[in-house]
Every structure is written in C-alpha cells, then in structure tokens.
Amino acid sequence: MLKLKKYGIVAGMSLALVAAGCGTDEEGDSTPVDENGGADEETEEAGTNYGEELDFTITGIDAGAGVMAAAEKAVETYELDEWTVSASSDAAMTQALADAYENEEPVIVTGWTPHWKFAAYDLKYLEDPEGTFGEAENIYTFAREGLEGEMPEAYTVLDNFHWTEEDMGEIMMAINEGQDEAEAAAEWVENNEDTVAEWTEGVDSVDGDSIELAFVAWDSEIASTNTMGKVLEDLGYEVTLTPLEAPYMFQAVATGEADAMVAAWLPLTHDHLLEEYEDDLVDLGVNLEGARTGLVVPEYMEIDSIEDLK
Ligand code: PBE
C-alpha cells in the first residue's frame, strides 16, 4: 500500500508566504489600462461586476500555490483595489464553487486545467489581456541529485512518465465521485497497461527499495502522484507519498529528503520556486502538456474578463 506521510508544518508556512508575498509583489500602478476605464465604470455603476455580492473576494487555494501569487498579481495589475484573494485549499475552493453553482450564485475562484471542475460544471476562464497568468503551462517531473545512480529503475520510469489531460482527468473524476485516491490511480494503471508499459519498458523490478514522492494536495497532483506511486510500487518499490505545500515540495526534492516530484508547473506558476532550487534539482522534462491557470467563474456570470472586475 502507498504510504502517506503526515506533516504538521503546513499552516505556519501559509502565514509566512502571505507576509512574504506582500513585500515582493511588483508595483502594478504603471500598467496602462485606461482605454477600458470608461466601460469598467459603467459596469460598476450598473452593479454587474459582482464586487459587493462577493464581498470583493476571490476564492483562492493554499497560499503557497503559484496560482495564488498570480491572482495577487492580477489584483495589482488590473487595479482591483477593493478585491482580495482569500487563501484556503483546493478542497475548500471546489466546495465554494459547488455551493455557488448549485444556487446559481456568483463565485470567482483561482482555477486551473487539468481539473475535474470543468467536467462537472459549465465554467469559463476570465480573459486575462495583461497575461498575468501566463500562457499555457506544462507539468514537469524533477528528481533529486543522485537518484539516477542510486535508483536507476525508478529514475527511468520517472523520466519516461508522460500522459495527457484526459488520462489525468479520468482519475480526478473517479476521486471526485468518491473513489479512494490510491484505488482510483490503481484502477487507471490496470486499465492503461499500454501507456504504463511505455514508462516501464526495459526496467527491472526491484526488491522493496524505499522511494518518496513529494506532492501538493491539489486534485491534479493527487492524481499524478498516486499514479506514479502505484507504478513504482508494482515494480517492487516501497513508496511513500508526502503531501507538502509547494515551496516545501521543491525544497524536499532539492535537499534529497524526497526523491522526486511530478508536480512542477512551468514556465510561470512555479518559476519562483524553480529559481530558488534549480541548482539542486534534476529536470526530467514534461509529463503533461497544455496545463493552464487563471480566474475561473461559472458560465452564467455576466463577466468575461478580469478587467470587468474593476
Ligand atoms: N495549481 C495546480 C498549482 C499547480 C498545480 C495550479 C493549483 C499552483 O498554482 O501552484
């Protein structure tokens, strides 16, 4: 069975990040958004920008997530002076989304793809003309220094790991519908022998070597990390999955406390973390193409752009 490590350091980290975030955000004042100023004011007067209804709150996730930093940046860039991004978790964010959706009420969340919420609800990304959330992202695998020499079998599988949004989506959906995380991943592995065979081709089994994968408990990364864990377990590894906040995930692999992660979003979302730790990380390349982050709202809301929030 995949082992899940428990850490008690997560809450303290959030506060530290919020504090750090305030100091390091760039000045957004010089951004020229005047062309749209008139239209935005009209929207505001008509009361359709949802600010008061939402208490000027964007529902966020864990403070260490890259999409949170991007959302803070958006608030500055688009001069959404009254708005705040509230930190919570992926689970709390999707609950808020579900509650609002059920009652056709407005809600704005920090969202990303792949995520099951797009299959479960009619949602849209708010346009981001200033590119605060960047363009398309890819998800990368990183290993600790020395893994290749010490655990060549695991290293090869991690290096070969590559799948699609649809693959990940199947597991996310199953978990969202109530299936146990490890079971959902195991079922996918059983049903996708050919794909898994591409990752494990020519790799010898091992005899109970211990390996630890770090991840963050975002639904997308719960799916990918449990899948990689199951594949390594089937090869004979004793696998531990360690949930951390994003900065600690990078740190754990960089210091060798954990062996690898399949949860690095680049070029933008985790850029600041890669910059800090890249000298001590081994880049095993992209495992999923075409990811995306942004502010996400239900289709029924009458706004289309982040600019409309002003
Ligand atoms: N996410 C999901 C992460 C990367 C994976 C978009 C929430 C983040 O923002 O850091």
Side-chain angles (χ1 to χ4, degrees), residues 33 40 47 53 61 67 88 129 156 204 227 254 267 282 297 300 302:
V33 289
D40 290 343
E53 253 178 294
I61 57 168
V67 71
S88 64
T156 302
D204 293 329
T227 300
V282 180
V297 302
Y300 55 72
E302 285 166 14

Side-chain angles (χ1 to χ4, degrees), residues 76-98:
E76 276 198 26
T77 303
Y78 294 92
E79 296 174 3
L80 310 178
D81 303 337
E82 293 166 298
W83 288 82
T84 52
V85 185
S86 75
S88 64
S89 65
D90 184 355
M93 176 274 286
T94 50
Q95 189 57 53
L97 184 59

